[in-house]
Amino acid sequence: MELPRNAFKAALGRGRPQIGLWLGLADAYASELCASTGFDWLVIDAEHAPNDVRSVLAQLQAVAPYPTHAVVRTASGEATLLKQYLDIGAQTLLVPMVESAPQAAAIVAATRYPPAGVRGVGSALARASRWGQVSEYLHRCEQELCVLVQVESTAGLKNLPAIAATEGVEGVLFGPADLAGALGVLGKPADPRVQDAIAQGIQTVRTAGKAAGVLSADPTLARKYLDAGALFVAVGIDTTLLVRAARDLRALFAEPVDAPRPRGKG
């Protein structure tokens, strides 16, 4: 059996922009629906959405038949947690709140088998190896693994050159919401200070020869980041899309305040 190919990683290596969607509904049926809509990549969020290892597994299975790539955002860079997501078949991990090169290096080490890293060797139990049926999985899996880290604090921005230069880190994603808080403008990800920090960060990551990414549900800002050189940009969130569509639909049938109401009988 062949090792599944990571088309997302290959596209980044070729410099091809990848447009993504964030998934926070924590439901395999909803994730499959989104997988059918043509996005290059989908983020299964296990940091802020109510996901666990089993719900992420169900979504990986639901998305697998479609020509889109599932990225799992973990709750942390804890090695045991990363091992579990890798074993259930995630090939791209996005780790939040990375603030230093040593932290980034430890995350990479958690995705590598010894002697290159500290990932536990349990591939016979793992979906990732198709339960031991992928030829030479232990020696070849690293070829198709993609480690992405998030920089979303002032410490992360300060150490960005070293973080981006860390061997094994394929890309850096900037989190506008957390950066806004860190820069003193909480709730204002479109603030010029946040935009400037991200634009400069994109250039720093590109200088290191790595891919830069951003999450922005504002189409104007998303295009701005793409024009600045970001290669993987998530342009929406499923929860936001559903709430907006539902509110807009309800608004079409909003009842005027002074509308007459039918009288009850009796």
Side-chain angles (χ1 to χ4, degrees):
M1 189 173 293
E2 289 299 313
L3 179 69
R5 183 171 173 270
N6 189 332
F8 175 80
K9 179 178 180 178
L12 295 185
R14 292 194 298 269
R16 292 178 53 190
Q18 300 291 285
I19 306 301
L21 182 70
W22 219 266
L23 305 181
L25 289 170
D27 180 84
Y29 199 72
S31 295
E32 182 176 5
L33 181 154
C34 292
S36 72
T37 61
F39 285 94
D40 300 307
W41 57 294
L42 302 171
V43 174
I44 302 172
D45 194 332
E47 182 187 15
H48 292 298
N51 275 306
D52 56 21
V53 175
R54 280 193 174 274
S55 66
V56 171
L57 168 60
Q59 290 172 82
L60 289 173
Q61 292 170 323
V63 169
Y66 297 87
T68 187
H69 183 74
V71 175
V72 176
R73 178 161 79 162
T74 66
S76 72
E78 200 271 320
T80 300
L81 186 62
L82 301 189
K83 172 181 62 179
Q84 288 182 296
Y85 286 127
L86 291 174
D87 282 353
I88 62 173
Q91 289 186 299
T92 300
L93 299 179
L94 174 60
V95 181
M97 285 294 179
V98 175
E99 298 186 321
S100 70
Q103 184 185 1
I107 290 166
V108 173
T111 70
R112 278 25 178 186
Y113 286 119
V118 296
R119 180 182 174 186
V121 183
S123 60
L125 297 170
R127 174 177 178 265
S129 71
R130 299 304 184 261
W131 303 276
Q133 298 177 91
V134 171
S135 177
E136 295 294 309
Y137 176 82
L138 294 175
H139 302 287
R140 297 172 53 227
C141 64
E142 182 183 326
Q143 301 169 15
E144 302 298 335
L145 295 182
C146 183
V147 176
L148 307 173
V149 298
Q150 278 190 250
V151 166
E152 41 196 343
S153 68
T154 53
L157 290 175
K158 178 182 178 181
N159 295 318
L160 181 57
I163 293 171
T166 301
E167 184 177 357
V169 170
E170 302 287 345
V172 178
L173 184 137
F174 297 97
D178 280 294
L179 278 176
L183 295 173
V185 286
L186 182 64
K188 299 179 179 179
D191 186 278
R193 283 166 285 187
V194 180
Q195 293 185 49
D196 290 345
I198 293 175
Q200 293 174 25
I202 290 171
Q203 294 308 311
T204 299
V205 173
R206 292 186 65 187
T207 298
K210 305 297 178 68
V214 189
L215 163 63
S216 179
D218 181 325
T220 300
L221 287 179
R223 291 187 182 281
K224 178 180 178 180
Y225 296 136
L226 285 164
D227 290 342
L231 277 184
F232 59 107
V233 177
V235 297
I237 306 170
D238 60 354
T239 53
T240 304
L241 293 173
L242 179 57
V243 167
R244 182 184 299 132
R247 288 174 63 92
D248 288 349
L249 180 60
R250 181 64 185 92
L252 292 176
F253 298 90
E255 185 179 36
V257 175
D258 57 350
R261 297 179 180 275
R263 293 182 179 181
K265 294 181 178 181

